Amino acid sequence: MDNQNQQKERKPLLYIQTANHVMEEIRNRKLQPHDLVPSEGEIAKLYGVSRMTAKLALQILEKKGIVYRHARRGTFVSADYQAHSEELVLEKAIEAKKPMCKIALVIPIMDDYIGRIIASVEREAREVNCHLLIRMTADKEDESVCLQELYDDQVDGIILYPRGSTQCSEKVMELSLLNYPLVIIDRIFREVQIDCVYHDHYHGAYKTTQYLIEKGHEEIGYISMAFDGVTSREDRYRGYLQAMLDHDLPVNSRNIYLNCTEDYMHQLSAPNKQLEMFLGNHSTLTAVVCVDDYIATSCLYTAISMQILVPDQLSIIGFTDIQLVSLLPVPLTTARQATEKLGQAAVQRVIKRMDHSREGALTIKIDTTIVERSSVRPLK
């Protein structure tokens, strides 16, 4: 074990390796002072690293006086780069002895969607040589306890998938006021200025509704749990409404059900009494947009129990693209949330904060894509 640890300690950080590669590139191309150096994007492609790693590599070279940077113009070889060009090799040994930075990912539950987020965060953390800790919370109080323990343990930054979504916790507010590197994922809190990375729920629902309209559907229903202050549910509903209005289709309140309880989560394949009543009273509907894949799954099984043919009589579309929906009796068309981009953006944002960035709080929206399967039938 000791030998393995020593080997790990001797391995240079990835961005140090990349910086040395760039130095070799400068020599190989025989670049002269004030010549243009490969950009972050070019470096990322050239050496198979992330843009964040490429950026850190250029920052190291800039600190060493090997390159200088101009906003919107690029990175250039410094006038006296030769005087500093040998120093970076020594940096390998120095940096290798430094402990890795530590970031934590705090999650509320474990399911397929969150599992994919963990995988993407872990890959990006490894790319920038950060050690990743994962904590799962039991309830709102335990979430606050976890955040405090991580702060007390001097973890360098935290990525938080909040438990519940109605409002920002006091502990999150406290850490934010301390300027502690904290990034919220998959949620947005309007009452506090804090970095958030989440999927573009509004445009995602707009696209799913528009997809149905383009397939010839006009009588399109909408099913959701109560909003309860959950911004993602609110945004998806607004996206549905706007798509209907933009395509000159009437918004009929009778076709909208926003109070489905979450009892169906205990047995998704069982008929849902609330949805039975809704579908039974709305036989003119040709399609429904569901707020997420779980409620779409419940809707599908309920329709099957009522002998409503999906998609021949009723098209159903979901949101998230959890693994389950591709295995249903009628595989579900849905909006896919790109967890890879979500994890990358979250890690890059928390590292930016760890660098003591004074940049204002950012809300980063990750786009969604439609995954076509068998649950939607064109009427045209």
Side-chain angles (χ1 to χ4, degrees):
M1 182 66 70
D2 289 340
N3 289 337
Q4 290 178 349
N5 289 335
Q6 288 172 4
Q7 288 174 358
K8 287 182 180 179
E9 288 178 354
R10 286 196 293 269
K11 184 178 179 180
L13 303 184
L14 184 56
Y15 66 88
I16 295 294
Q17 291 177 314
T18 305
N20 278 279
H21 288 321
V22 175
M23 279 295 306
E24 292 172 8
E25 196 69 26
I26 291 173
R27 295 190 190 101
N28 292 339
R29 296 189 186 188
K30 298 181 179 178
L31 298 182
Q32 299 302 309
H34 312 299
D35 282 351
L36 189 64
V37 172
S39 67
E40 291 173 10
E42 290 170 330
I43 292 170
K45 289 182 180 179
L46 198 58
Y47 302 112
V49 297
S50 71
R51 289 183 68 98
M52 174 59 72
T53 298
K55 183 176 182 178
L56 291 172
L58 290 177
Q59 286 178 350
I60 286 289
L61 293 175
E62 184 178 21
K63 288 178 182 177
K64 288 294 182 184
I66 295 167
V67 302
Y68 63 94
R69 312 182 78 181
H70 273 306
R72 294 182 294 278
R73 289 181 56 194
T75 303
F76 301 85
V77 178
S78 296
D80 57 346
Y81 85 99
Q82 290 285 3
H84 306 283
S85 61
E86 300 303 322
E87 295 180 16
L88 198 61
V89 177
L90 298 176
E91 190 86 18
K92 291 182 180 181
I94 296 170
E95 287 290 336
K97 294 178 182 178
K98 291 182 179 179
M100 298 168 69
C101 68
K102 291 191 295 183
I103 62 174
L105 174 62
V106 180
I107 58 174
I109 58 172
M110 176 62 76
D111 60 14
D112 171 60
Y113 173 63
I114 292 181
R116 285 186 281 136
I117 291 175
I118 292 173
S120 66
V121 169
E122 197 279 334
R123 278 193 295 272
E124 189 65 18
R126 188 187 295 261
E127 182 99 356
V128 296
N129 208 60
C130 276
H131 181 62
L132 179 65
L133 308 173
I134 298 174
R135 296 287 297 271
M136 185 182 298
T137 60
D139 49 37
K140 288 288 287 183
E141 182 178 349
D142 187 47
E143 178 183 284
S144 294
V145 170
C146 285
L147 292 175
Q148 185 63 51
E149 287 177 349
L150 291 168
Y151 177 79
D152 292 341
D153 289 343
Q154 298 184 344
V155 170
D156 298 298
I158 297 174
I159 298 170
L160 171 65
Y161 190 128
R163 173 170 286 278
S165 316
T166 55
Q167 61 184 11
C168 178
S169 71
E170 290 185 7
K171 183 56 64 178
V172 169
M173 296 276 283
E174 179 184 329
L175 293 177
S176 176
L177 290 172
L178 291 170
N179 293 317
Y180 179 78
L182 176 64
V183 174
I184 306 296
I185 58 171
D186 206 59
R187 296 288 186 271
I188 183 170
F189 294 126
R190 298 191 176 104
E191 66 270 28
V192 61
Q193 294 295 312
I194 193 167
D195 290 323
C196 299
V197 180
Y198 78 125
H199 289 101
D200 194 338
H201 302 286
Y202 173 84
H203 284 104
Y206 186 102
K207 287 192 291 189
T208 58
T209 308
Q210 181 174 255
Y211 174 83
L212 292 172
I213 294 170
E214 290 173 348
K215 296 291 184 182
H217 294 276
E218 295 185 358
E219 290 289 326
I220 303 172
Y222 189 85
I223 303 174
S224 174
M225 303 78 81
F227 296 160
D228 291 333
V230 181
T231 54
S232 59
R233 296 177 189 173
E234 295 173 3
D235 288 349
R236 292 176 193 179
Y237 179 55
R238 290 192 304 108
Y240 158 79
L241 293 177
Q242 195 61 54
M244 295 290 284
L245 294 173
D246 285 350
H247 291 82
D248 298 322
L249 294 177
V251 176
N252 187 341
S253 60
R254 293 185 66 255
N255 293 342
I256 299 170
Y257 187 49
L258 303 179
N259 292 297
C260 188
T261 61
E262 298 187 52
D263 297 339
Y264 65 88
M265 289 290 290
H266 301 300
Q267 194 173 357
L268 287 171
S269 60
N272 184 310
K273 297 299 182 183
Q274 293 176 303
L275 296 182
E276 277 185 350
M277 184 175 296
F278 177 75
L279 295 178
N281 292 335
H282 297 80
S283 57
T284 59
L285 290 178
T286 64
V288 288
V289 175
C290 296
V291 72
D292 65 23
D293 285 344
Y294 291 109
I295 209 165
T297 299
S298 183
C299 185
L300 172 63
Y301 279 113
T302 300
I304 291 173
S305 74
M306 297 173 67
Q307 298 185 331
I308 298 173
L309 299 178
V310 179
D312 292 346
Q313 293 174 282
L314 181 69
S315 291
I316 301 174
I317 195 164
F319 201 108
T320 300
D321 193 33
I322 59 175
Q323 187 176 24
L324 165 70
V325 299
S326 65
L327 306 173
L328 295 174
V330 182
L332 190 71
T333 296
T334 186
R336 173 176 291 166
Q337 295 178 287
T339 51
E340 181 70 26
K341 292 181 180 178
L342 184 80
Q344 286 178 351
V347 172
Q348 290 171 10
R349 194 63 198 159
V350 80
I351 291 220
K352 181 83 170 178
R353 287 301 179 198
M354 286 157 53
D355 287 339
H356 306 290
S357 169
R358 295 185 179 181
E359 194 173 61
L362 285 184
T363 296
I364 301 171
K365 295 182 181 180
I366 308 298
D367 200 11
T368 61
T369 55
I370 301 287
V371 179
E372 295 183 283
R373 295 195 179 96
S374 307
S375 66
V376 173
R377 168 179 174 264
L379 292 185
K380 292 181 178 179

